[in-house]
PDB file of all heavy atoms in Angstrom:
ATOM      1  N   LYS K 195      74.738  98.030 108.092  1.00  0.00           N
ATOM      2  CA  LYS K 195      74.335  98.792 106.992  1.00  0.00           C
ATOM      3  C   LYS K 195      75.496  99.757 106.540  1.00  0.00           C
ATOM      4  O   LYS K 195      75.563  99.895 105.299  1.00  0.00           O
ATOM      5  CB  LYS K 195      73.179  99.780 107.571  1.00  0.00           C
ATOM      6  CG  LYS K 195      71.800  99.083 107.778  1.00  0.00           C
ATOM      7  CD  LYS K 195      70.814 100.146 108.348  1.00  0.00           C
ATOM      8  CE  LYS K 195      69.463  99.356 108.570  1.00  0.00           C
ATOM      9  NZ  LYS K 195      68.494 100.378 109.253  1.00  0.00           N
ATOM     10  N   ASP K 196      76.280 100.096 107.456  1.00  0.00           N
ATOM     11  CA  ASP K 196      77.478 100.949 106.949  1.00  0.00           C
ATOM     12  C   ASP K 196      78.442 100.038 106.189  1.00  0.00           C
ATOM     13  O   ASP K 196      78.968 100.466 105.114  1.00  0.00           O
ATOM     14  CB  ASP K 196      78.225 101.355 108.235  1.00  0.00           C
ATOM     15  CG  ASP K 196      79.333 102.401 107.883  1.00  0.00           C
ATOM     16  OD1 ASP K 196      79.050 103.530 107.441  1.00  0.00           O
ATOM     17  OD2 ASP K 196      80.490 102.024 107.892  1.00  0.00           O
ATOM     18  N   ALA K 197      78.751  98.728 106.613  1.00  0.00           N
ATOM     19  CA  ALA K 197      79.550  97.890 105.943  1.00  0.00           C
ATOM     20  C   ALA K 197      78.953  97.565 104.526  1.00  0.00           C
ATOM     21  O   ALA K 197      79.783  97.490 103.570  1.00  0.00           O
ATOM     22  CB  ALA K 197      79.831  96.615 106.722  1.00  0.00           C
ATOM     23  N   LEU K 198      77.679  97.314 104.455  1.00  0.00           N
ATOM     24  CA  LEU K 198      77.085  97.059 103.150  1.00  0.00           C
ATOM     25  C   LEU K 198      77.216  98.194 102.213  1.00  0.00           C
ATOM     26  O   LEU K 198      77.353  97.946 101.069  1.00  0.00           O
ATOM     27  CB  LEU K 198      75.579  96.676 103.441  1.00  0.00           C
ATOM     28  CG  LEU K 198      74.768  96.289 102.178  1.00  0.00           C
ATOM     29  CD1 LEU K 198      75.354  94.990 101.609  1.00  0.00           C
ATOM     30  CD2 LEU K 198      73.291  96.064 102.635  1.00  0.00           C
ATOM     31  N   ALA K 199      76.948  99.388 102.766  1.00  0.00           N
ATOM     32  CA  ALA K 199      77.048 100.578 101.965  1.00  0.00           C
ATOM     33  C   ALA K 199      78.513 100.777 101.365  1.00  0.00           C
ATOM     34  O   ALA K 199      78.530 101.192 100.147  1.00  0.00           O
ATOM     35  CB  ALA K 199      76.701 101.855 102.791  1.00  0.00           C
ATOM     36  N   HIS K 200      79.499 100.400 102.189  1.00  0.00           N
ATOM     37  CA  HIS K 200      80.833 100.528 101.704  1.00  0.00           C
ATOM     38  C   HIS K 200      81.170  99.406 100.610  1.00  0.00           C
ATOM     39  O   HIS K 200      82.144  99.611  99.819  1.00  0.00           O
ATOM     40  CB  HIS K 200      81.844 100.352 102.846  1.00  0.00           C
ATOM     41  CG  HIS K 200      82.035 101.626 103.686  1.00  0.00           C
ATOM     42  ND1 HIS K 200      81.120 102.044 104.647  1.00  0.00           N
ATOM     43  CD2 HIS K 200      83.084 102.605 103.623  1.00  0.00           C
ATOM     44  CE1 HIS K 200      81.576 103.179 105.164  1.00  0.00           C
ATOM     45  NE2 HIS K 200      82.769 103.465 104.495  1.00  0.00           N
ATOM     46  N   LEU K 201      80.355  98.424 100.696  1.00  0.00           N
ATOM     47  CA  LEU K 201      80.732  97.301  99.694  1.00  0.00           C
ATOM     48  C   LEU K 201      80.139  97.389  98.372  1.00  0.00           C
ATOM     49  O   LEU K 201      80.604  96.821  97.400  1.00  0.00           O
ATOM     50  CB  LEU K 201      80.106  95.920 100.421  1.00  0.00           C
ATOM     51  CG  LEU K 201      80.471  94.591  99.738  1.00  0.00           C
ATOM     52  CD1 LEU K 201      81.885  94.388  99.598  1.00  0.00           C
ATOM     53  CD2 LEU K 201      79.837  93.438 100.578  1.00  0.00           C
ATOM     54  N   ILE K 202      78.968  98.169  98.296  1.00  0.00           N
ATOM     55  CA  ILE K 202      78.161  98.172  96.983  1.00  0.00           C
ATOM     56  C   ILE K 202      78.996  98.634  95.815  1.00  0.00           C
ATOM     57  O   ILE K 202      79.065  98.024  94.769  1.00  0.00           O
ATOM     58  CB  ILE K 202      76.977  99.040  97.209  1.00  0.00           C
ATOM     59  CG1 ILE K 202      75.979  98.330  98.140  1.00  0.00           C
ATOM     60  CG2 ILE K 202      76.240  99.308  95.866  1.00  0.00           C
ATOM     61  CD1 ILE K 202      74.720  99.103  98.510  1.00  0.00           C
ATOM     62  N   LEU K 203      79.677  99.821  95.981  1.00  0.00           N
ATOM     63  CA  LEU K 203      80.381 100.398  94.724  1.00  0.00           C
ATOM     64  C   LEU K 203      81.571  99.529  94.304  1.00  0.00           C
ATOM     65  O   LEU K 203      81.683  99.222  93.107  1.00  0.00           O
ATOM     66  CB  LEU K 203      80.793 101.905  95.078  1.00  0.00           C
ATOM     67  CG  LEU K 203      79.697 102.973  95.177  1.00  0.00           C
ATOM     68  CD1 LEU K 203      80.386 104.309  95.440  1.00  0.00           C
ATOM     69  CD2 LEU K 203      78.876 102.793  93.952  1.00  0.00           C
ATOM     70  N   PRO K 204      82.446  99.067  95.179  1.00  0.00           N
ATOM     71  CA  PRO K 204      83.578  98.239  94.643  1.00  0.00           C
ATOM     72  C   PRO K 204      83.091  96.845  94.154  1.00  0.00           C
ATOM     73  O   PRO K 204      83.541  96.443  93.081  1.00  0.00           O
ATOM     74  CB  PRO K 204      84.427  98.068  95.917  1.00  0.00           C
ATOM     75  CG  PRO K 204      83.637  98.429  97.110  1.00  0.00           C
ATOM     76  CD  PRO K 204      82.674  99.452  96.595  1.00  0.00           C
ATOM     77  N   ALA K 205      81.963  96.304  94.773  1.00  0.00           N
ATOM     78  CA  ALA K 205      81.433  95.054  94.152  1.00  0.00           C
ATOM     79  C   ALA K 205      80.765  95.275  92.898  1.00  0.00           C
ATOM     80  O   ALA K 205      80.944  94.484  91.989  1.00  0.00           O
ATOM     81  CB  ALA K 205      80.351  94.500  95.220  1.00  0.00           C
ATOM     82  N   LEU K 206      80.116  96.371  92.691  1.00  0.00           N
ATOM     83  CA  LEU K 206      79.550  96.667  91.371  1.00  0.00           C
ATOM     84  C   LEU K 206      80.553  96.882  90.233  1.00  0.00           C
ATOM     85  O   LEU K 206      80.439  96.347  89.143  1.00  0.00           O
ATOM     86  CB  LEU K 206      78.658  97.987  91.472  1.00  0.00           C
ATOM     87  CG  LEU K 206      77.691  98.208  90.269  1.00  0.00           C
ATOM     88  CD1 LEU K 206      76.752  97.055  90.070  1.00  0.00           C
ATOM     89  CD2 LEU K 206      76.884  99.551  90.495  1.00  0.00           C
TER      90      LEU K 206
END
Side-chain angles (χ1 to χ4, degrees):
K195 291 177 182 176
D196 188 75
L198 183 62
H200 280 82
L201 185 59
I202 291 175
L203 288 185
L206 193 59

